Amino acid sequence: MRAISRTHGFMAAVLAGLLFPYMTAHGQAMLQIEGTATYRERIALPPDAVFDAVLEDVSRADVAAPTLGEARIDQPGNPPVHFTIQYDPTQIRPDHIYAVRVRITEGGRLLFTTDQRYQVLTQGHGSEIGMIMLRKASGGSAETRTTAVTLRETYWKLVELGDSPITDADQQNEAHLIFQTESSRVVGSGGCNRLTGGYTLNGRSLRFGAMAATRMACMRGMETEGKFLAAMERVRSWKITNQQLDLLDENGKLLVRLTAQAAKPR
């Protein structure tokens, strides 16, 4: 009887050890999203491809989406790719919106990704989801909505200040920014004058240093330029969604919106 009792106690301890990682800080079991992702092209993935899936709170469009769970699969093989994302149910709010985003990369190069919102958990959506990924085209016929862009060394055209859209007619020249990698300098135009200055980047945190500008007077664009420069002083964070860059204040409110464009000749 003692041997049986010791065996039973050992098995209980092992089971508790296995279940512990799946318990939240509040003592509740971790739940999971079950997903399947595929693409329409009949092509095989390279052997060193990596699949990533992320569960995000996308309730607010003006702040970076918080991540609630993620899954990574090295060498996922050919589609469909089946994945599971563990998440803490105590972090889920019925009045919030949650979505899953997936992508496949090879050596940091984007191969496939989703381009639409795949909602889960709330507003009538469940915990099982099927997803279609779009291919990042190569060469001249790239699908720009799925092409990965980076903050640095990208030509960012100004399209919105706060809640006000910016059109080409509003400005003498095209207002834009280019974050240079070397020396952490930012250059561009405010819509009239050329701009240059420094910036400090730390993860999602972003601050602009003092900006210098030429002193031309333009028939158009001066008011936009002044608002642009004032907004840059208040920027504290950033996020990129597809081809769009949002610059946000300390409360996550949208200050400046730019889109990635082909660089214009100087």
Side-chain angles (χ1 to χ4, degrees):
M1 290 294 292
R2 290 181 180 177
I4 294 176
S5 178
R6 286 196 297 268
T7 301
H8 177 76
F10 174 76
M11 293 301 296
V14 171
L15 181 60
L18 291 174
L19 290 177
F20 181 77
Y22 299 96
M23 304 297 288
T24 71
H26 298 80
Q28 296 189 27
M30 294 287 284
L31 299 182
Q32 60 189 30
I33 303 291
E34 296 285 349
T36 301
T38 189
Y39 50 79
R40 295 186 176 91
E41 290 80 2
R42 295 184 177 181
I43 57 176
L45 291 175
D48 55 347
V50 177
F51 174 87
D52 289 291
V54 180
L55 171 63
E56 299 175 321
D57 183 339
V58 295
S59 305
R60 295 181 58 184
D62 57 346
V63 298
T67 297
L68 284 77
E70 50 191 317
R72 181 184 181 93
I73 303 175
D74 294 325
Q75 300 176 339
N78 292 325
V81 180
H82 303 280
F83 62 91
T84 299
I85 302 177
Q86 301 282 341
Y87 69 92
D88 181 353
T90 64
Q91 296 182 357
I92 303 301
R93 294 178 49 176
D95 58 335
H96 278 214
I97 302 172
Y98 302 94
V100 174
R101 174 174 53 85
V102 302
R103 67 175 189 169
I104 296 176
T105 58
E106 178 198 18
R109 182 172 62 94
L110 183 65
L111 301 180
F112 292 90
T113 187
T114 46
D115 75 330
Q116 61 178 292
R117 177 180 291 181
Y118 286 92
Q119 286 187 228
V120 291
L121 301 179
T122 58
Q123 299 188 351
H125 300 278
S127 58
E128 296 183 3
I129 189 170
M131 312 175 72
I132 300 293
M133 296 177 287
L134 295 181
R135 183 185 181 189
K136 176 195 171 297
S138 58
S141 59
E143 296 178 17
T144 57
R145 58 181 175 176
T146 65
T147 303
V149 293
T150 59
L151 178 68
R152 292 185 171 109
E153 306 301 340
T154 296
Y155 184 101
W156 294 107
K157 176 185 176 181
L158 177 66
V159 294
E160 192 172 328
L161 283 173
D163 297 328
S164 303
I166 304 299
T167 64
D168 291 340
D170 293 332
Q171 34 196 51
Q172 186 80 10
N173 298 308
E174 187 171 88
H176 68 277
L177 295 175
I178 300 174
F179 295 84
Q180 297 179 334
T181 303
E182 185 177 355
S183 302
S184 293
R185 302 292 295 174
V186 60
V187 298
S189 170
C192 175
N193 290 282
R194 291 185 178 275
L195 307 177
T196 184
Y199 68 93
T200 302
L201 185 66
N202 184 11
R204 292 294 179 184
S205 175
L206 172 66
R207 287 177 180 259
F208 291 96
M211 300 296 295
T214 54
R215 297 188 177 184
M216 294 192 303
C218 301
M219 293 293 293
R220 298 174 300 173
M222 296 299 291
E223 182 179 359
T224 296
E225 183 170 277
K227 292 180 179 179
F228 189 20
L229 288 168
M232 290 171 65
E233 293 179 0
R234 298 164 53 202
V235 169
R236 294 295 180 269
S237 63
W238 65 281
K239 70 171 183 177
I240 293 177
T241 305
N242 294 331
Q243 302 290 296
Q244 177 179 288
L245 169 64
D246 289 347
L247 303 181
L248 316 169
D249 68 9
E250 60 183 1
N251 298 315
K253 182 179 180 181
L254 177 66
L255 295 172
V256 179
R257 176 163 288 165
L258 308 101
T259 59
Q261 305 282 327
K264 304 297 187 294
R266 297 183 179 182

